[in-house]
Amino acid sequence: SVYAQKPKSASPFTDGENLTYEGKFSKSILRGIAVADLSFTVSSLPGSGDYMVKAEAKSKGTLLKIFNFKFYQRIESTVANDRYSVLKTFKRDEQGDRVRESEAEFDYEGKKVTYVETDPKDPARPPRRVASPIENDTQDLISAIYSLRRLPFANGKTFEMSVSDSGLVYKVPVRVTGREMQKTAIGRVWCWRVEPEVFGENRMIEQEGSMIIWITDDARRLPVRSKIDSDIGKIEVKLKKVATVK
């Protein structure tokens, strides 16, 4: 478990932090073409003090023009303010005309996640339900990124995260494979090169591929860049802006 190791920082969450990214094809005939805008916003929930992370991804520009393909995804993750495990995940996923909404509830006393997916366009369609056993420090796709930010990185170090997606739970090995200088929207900064193993047999994405994330080696621990190599091509995601939302 990642939490068996002493975390670097008390909390990876900063109330009001807003991170904006742009995704582009990095290799292929579509090199340099922007395909998506992504944003992550953290807020502290009144009363409980738990955190809400709202993540949005939407297709843009040439992707719409060339392929006539449009997507939009919104994920709202509620994260416990004491142990930083995910408590609830709401997701709206639009791909062309297809729309799905889902909610995952994480019950740590009962040690299970319950996932329910519905089709807002077809209320008569029976919901899809999935339940799986979970551990105390389970994350979803969004909270996992923030959990990465609090790990005590060192070159060659490995961690294992328990990540739930669509009601299923995966063990995700994470390797720290270097420390590199990166040119970013916030200047030239030293970053840890981190490789979560999300591709492969019995992994979250059952196809050949790889993912690298560069996270700043400073108190902010900002994910500034990511490279994803998959069946659809190589996509590079870069930080465009850091802001505070009131």
Side-chain angles (χ1 to χ4, degrees):
S1 163
V2 295
Y3 298 108
Q5 316 233 10
K6 186 174 181 288
K8 178 180 186 293
S9 58
S11 173
F13 300 96
T14 302
D15 190 16
E17 180 189 71
N18 174 250
L19 306 176
T20 306
Y21 297 83
E22 184 179 60
K24 288 183 176 181
F25 280 109
S26 64
K27 282 186 180 172
S28 77
I29 55 167
L30 302 174
R31 181 181 174 87
I33 288 176
V35 291
D37 284 326
L38 300 94
S39 69
F40 300 84
T41 307
V42 176
S43 56
S44 189
L45 295 172
S48 67
D50 292 334
Y51 297 100
M52 164 77 76
V53 184
K54 291 186 180 179
E56 283 190 300
K58 53 188 174 186
S59 50
K60 65 182 288 186
T62 318
L63 193 68
L64 300 173
K65 291 174 190 164
I66 296 180
F67 301 107
N68 195 27
F69 180 66
K70 181 181 174 186
F71 69 82
Y72 171 78
Q73 191 172 81
R74 183 173 91 253
I75 302 176
E76 297 176 359
S77 301
T78 306
V79 182
N81 69 355
D82 49 0
R83 60 183 187 272
Y84 310 118
S85 305
V86 66
L87 301 174
K88 183 191 280 190
T89 310
F90 169 81
K91 185 191 293 184
R92 182 176 174 90
D93 192 0
E94 302 174 12
Q95 296 184 31
D97 293 330
R98 179 186 180 276
V99 180
R100 295 289 183 271
E101 284 190 349
S102 63
E103 198 162 281
E105 296 267 3
F106 295 81
D107 175 4
Y108 291 97
E109 284 187 14
K111 294 191 177 297
K112 73 170 182 176
V113 55
T114 306
Y115 171 87
V116 180
E117 182 188 274
T118 56
D119 180 352
K121 289 187 167 184
D122 183 6
R125 184 173 174 265
R128 177 171 170 257
R129 298 178 186 273
V130 182
S132 299
I134 58 170
E135 297 175 359
N136 284 335
D137 52 0
T138 301
Q139 307 298 331
D140 66 9
L141 295 176
I142 303 305
S143 68
I145 296 169
Y146 287 82
S147 278
L148 276 180
R149 295 173 66 179
R150 65 187 289 257
L151 293 180
F153 294 145
N155 208 6
K157 212 161 188 179
T158 60
F159 305 91
E160 188 177 72
M161 304 181 78
S162 184
V163 182
S164 178
D165 181 40
S166 301
L168 301 176
V169 181
Y170 302 88
K171 292 292 185 191
V172 180
V174 178
R175 294 180 297 128
V176 183
T177 56
R179 185 173 174 271
E180 301 171 349
M181 181 67 78
Q182 293 288 314
K183 186 180 174 184
T184 75
I186 56 170
R188 286 174 62 82
V189 284
W190 281 102
C191 296
W192 292 108
R193 176 185 164 121
V194 181
E195 301 190 32
E197 293 181 24
V198 294
F199 288 91
E201 195 176 344
N202 299 321
R203 299 260 184 237
M204 200 173 293
I205 305 170
E206 287 214 350
Q207 56 169 259
E208 289 293 307
S210 64
M211 172 187 275
I212 304 168
I213 302 172
W214 284 267
I215 298 174
T216 60
D217 181 17
D218 58 17
R220 296 172 295 180
R221 284 299 188 86
L222 292 172
V224 290
R225 180 184 171 211
S226 178
K227 278 175 78 171
I228 301 152
D229 191 352
S230 72
D231 285 356
I232 63 165
K234 294 180 190 290
I235 291 176
E236 187 137 11
V237 179
K238 286 188 175 181
L239 179 69
K240 286 294 178 188
K241 189 176 159 192
V242 181
T244 302
V245 179
K246 294 299 181 191

